[in-house]
Amino acid sequence: MKVLTQRLAAHPHYTKALEWGKLVTITGGTQTLVQAVSLLCGILVIRLLPTQEYALYTLANTMLGTMILLADGGITAGVMAQGGKVWQDKQKLGTVLRTGLQLRKQFALGCLLLGSPVLWFLLRHHGASWLMSALIIGSLIPAFLTALSSQLLEITPKLHQAIAPLQKIQVEVSIGRLVFLGLTIFFFPMAFVATLAAGLPQIWGNRRLAHLADNFTAPSPSGTDPVVRKEILAFVKRLLPGVMYYCASSQITLWLISIFGTTAAVAEVGALGRLAIITSVFRGLLATLVSPRFARMPPKPALLLNRYLKIQLGLLLLSVAIIGAAGLFAKEILWVLGPQYAHLQNEVLLSAIGSCLALVAGSSFTLYIHRGWAINPVISITLEITAVILGVLLIDISTLKGVLLLNIFIASVQALMHVSFSLLKITGTK
């Protein structure tokens, strides 16, 4: 028995499995803690904000996500792809990072100028005063700017798999948000206060991330590189049309309810959206452990295909578990959200299905863009617009249930498209 144990311990697969087990346990545990704190923040906001204020908060957060996507435009993916090629060279990696940060600043200004008037219109449409609309938009700016920088600053420690210090920062920022929220929202239950709580702690977090990134980069004489800038922009040009469309399509549920539904329905969509935090734990695992390693892998089709199929199998099993739990414990889940949402039992299951399909689609998209691949936007946008048109024709979208069904239909098309493109690119790798 002792000899067998020694042989097992010496086996390379055992060593690799043990290493991955430790990484997944530590990373997964930390991500669970981060998302648990985020969920607690969300529950505080849901329970303490009046329905009207929570609807405004939902609109602000949706616009925040849209603006972050547009300001990124594929820059983060481009930096990850370029960084994956030179991740062992400190000077080159530093040049890639600084070039990406410079581009991000330029994109951010344009998105603020475009997004603010749209958010202003939606807030006013749902009864926000002029003063409240201005306060909400102002409170969005810190969260917007800090999120943009943090995405890029996390790339270098992810490529070097410096997981522990990175996650320590993430946990500290999450706890900071909870503390700030707890100290303010009890006394000032307003949408702009809850929005501000998300951005201010990240300012401190970004300073820590910048120091961490310095451990893996070295300064270069020029600071930025026009060749790297050109390569990142070329990738952005291929990706940006799809990103712009995704900004609209990914939030189609909220846009439809916001325009055709009631303020209460907007709040219900926002509350159900909080349940997607469950899949966020696994998104964090993919972004921290899996995607950077996939970006670094050599261009060997058999190896890439094997790794990709294992990832998708894991996501499939995970999705089945999440959907099953949502169906079995719908009442308990809604109890957490509050009594005003207790009637949404069927909608909980539909929301879980949509979130899992989005997880599969999003993981495939992230994996292939971090390899420097981008689907032709004409193909992707045409397929998704066709899916939206067919969905609207076939599904009654006048109710929350109908809009969630439309979301499932669109997410199914997206998952099929991104998985198919990934397999085509992997099998065609040279």
Side-chain angles (χ1 to χ4, degrees):
M1 184 67 181
K2 184 178 180 180
V3 174
L4 180 62
T5 303
Q6 290 175 342
R7 288 180 179 178
L8 181 63
H11 197 282
H13 289 304
Y14 173 82
T15 304
K16 188 174 182 180
L18 185 62
E19 177 189 356
W20 269 97
K22 290 179 179 178
L23 282 172
V24 171
T25 301
I26 295 171
T27 309
T30 306
Q31 284 297 320
T32 300
L33 176 60
V34 170
Q35 296 302 330
V37 174
S38 297
L39 179 61
L40 183 56
C41 290
I43 292 172
L44 280 175
V45 173
I46 291 172
R47 284 185 168 269
L48 294 177
L49 287 186
T51 301
Q52 170 71 18
E53 288 291 326
Y54 188 69
L56 300 179
Y57 173 80
T58 300
L59 289 172
N61 270 273
T62 302
M63 182 55 68
L64 174 63
T66 301
M67 289 168 61
I68 290 173
L69 281 171
L70 285 175
D72 180 79
I75 294 174
T76 299
V79 171
M80 177 68 83
Q82 294 298 317
K85 299 175 183 178
V86 298
W87 67 281
Q88 293 177 310
D89 187 316
K90 283 190 171 185
Q91 191 172 26
K92 291 182 179 179
L93 183 58
T95 300
V96 171
L97 178 60
R98 280 183 285 275
T99 304
L101 286 169
Q102 185 187 66
L103 283 171
R104 180 63 69 80
K105 290 178 182 177
Q106 296 170 356
F107 276 53
L109 178 60
C111 287
L112 272 175
L113 295 176
L114 289 173
S116 297
V118 176
L119 179 57
W120 180 276
F121 168 77
L122 290 173
L123 292 172
R124 294 287 294 151
H125 178 69
H126 284 276
S129 65
W130 287 81
L131 176 61
M132 183 57 66
S133 298
L135 287 172
I136 290 174
I137 292 174
S139 68
L140 211 65
I141 294 175
F144 172 65
L145 296 178
T146 54
L148 293 176
S149 298
S150 66
Q151 288 178 347
L152 289 178
L153 292 171
E154 288 180 358
I155 289 177
T156 52
K158 284 180 179 178
L159 284 171
H160 284 269
Q161 290 294 275
I163 305 304
L166 175 61
Q167 293 199 314
K168 182 181 178 181
I169 296 171
Q170 292 174 341
V171 170
E172 290 171 348
V173 170
S174 295
I175 293 174
R177 287 172 180 162
L178 179 60
V179 171
F180 186 89
L181 189 66
L183 291 174
T184 56
I185 199 168
F186 282 99
F187 306 102
F188 305 101
M190 302 177 190
F192 81 91
V193 173
T195 305
L196 196 62
L200 293 183
Q202 190 63 53
I203 296 174
W204 174 84
N206 281 6
R207 292 180 179 177
R208 296 284 307 278
L209 285 172
H211 288 302
L212 179 59
D214 287 341
N215 295 328
F216 308 105
T217 60
S220 61
S222 60
T224 60
D225 188 336
V227 176
V228 173
R229 177 186 173 91
K230 184 178 180 180
E231 290 176 346
I232 294 175
L233 282 176
F235 189 67
V236 169
K237 288 177 182 178
R238 296 200 306 270
L239 204 61
L240 187 57
V243 170
M244 293 175 68
Y245 175 76
Y246 178 77
C247 287
S249 65
S250 64
Q251 300 295 340
I252 192 169
T253 302
L254 184 66
W255 301 137
L256 289 173
I257 287 294
S258 177
I259 295 171
F260 300 108
T262 63
T263 300
V266 174
E268 290 173 353
V269 170
L272 289 175
R274 286 291 171 184
L275 302 179
I277 206 165
I278 298 171
T279 58
S280 296
V281 173
F282 302 100
R283 288 181 189 273
L285 279 172
L286 285 165
T288 305
L289 291 180
V290 179
S291 183
R293 291 170 183 261
F294 195 76
R296 286 168 18 187
M297 288 179 66
K300 297 179 180 179
L303 182 61
L304 289 170
L305 182 62
N306 179 271
R307 186 65 53 82
Y308 180 80
L309 291 178
K310 286 180 179 178
I311 294 169
Q312 294 306 315
L313 177 60
L315 289 174
L316 177 62
L317 295 175
L318 173 66
S319 298
V320 171
I322 291 174
I323 294 169
L328 290 173
F329 302 107
K331 289 183 179 179
E332 289 77 8
I333 292 170
L334 292 170
W335 176 84
V336 174
L337 296 181
Q340 65 269 43
Y341 305 107
H343 62 288
L344 301 176
Q345 292 186 31
N346 291 332
E347 286 78 2
V348 166
L349 183 59
L350 294 176
S351 180
I353 294 172
S355 295
C356 288
L357 285 169
L359 175 64
V360 173
S363 67
S364 292
F365 176 74
T366 301
L367 289 172
Y368 72 66
I369 63 172
H370 285 174
R371 293 291 302 182
W373 302 330
I375 191 170
N376 189 322
V378 175
I379 296 174
S380 62
I381 294 174
T382 300
L383 286 174
E384 294 194 38
I385 289 178
T386 302
V388 172
I389 294 173
L390 285 175
V392 170
L393 291 175
L394 296 173
I395 301 170
D396 178 13
I397 60 170
S398 62
T399 64
L400 176 59
K401 181 179 179 181
V403 172
L404 292 174
L405 287 171
L406 175 64
N407 192 45
I408 290 173
F409 180 72
I410 295 171
S412 300
V413 174
Q414 291 173 340
L416 180 62
M417 177 180 66
H418 291 310
V419 170
S420 299
F421 179 74
S422 298
L423 293 174
L424 286 173
K425 293 298 294 185
I426 289 171
T427 54
T429 300
K430 297 182 181 180

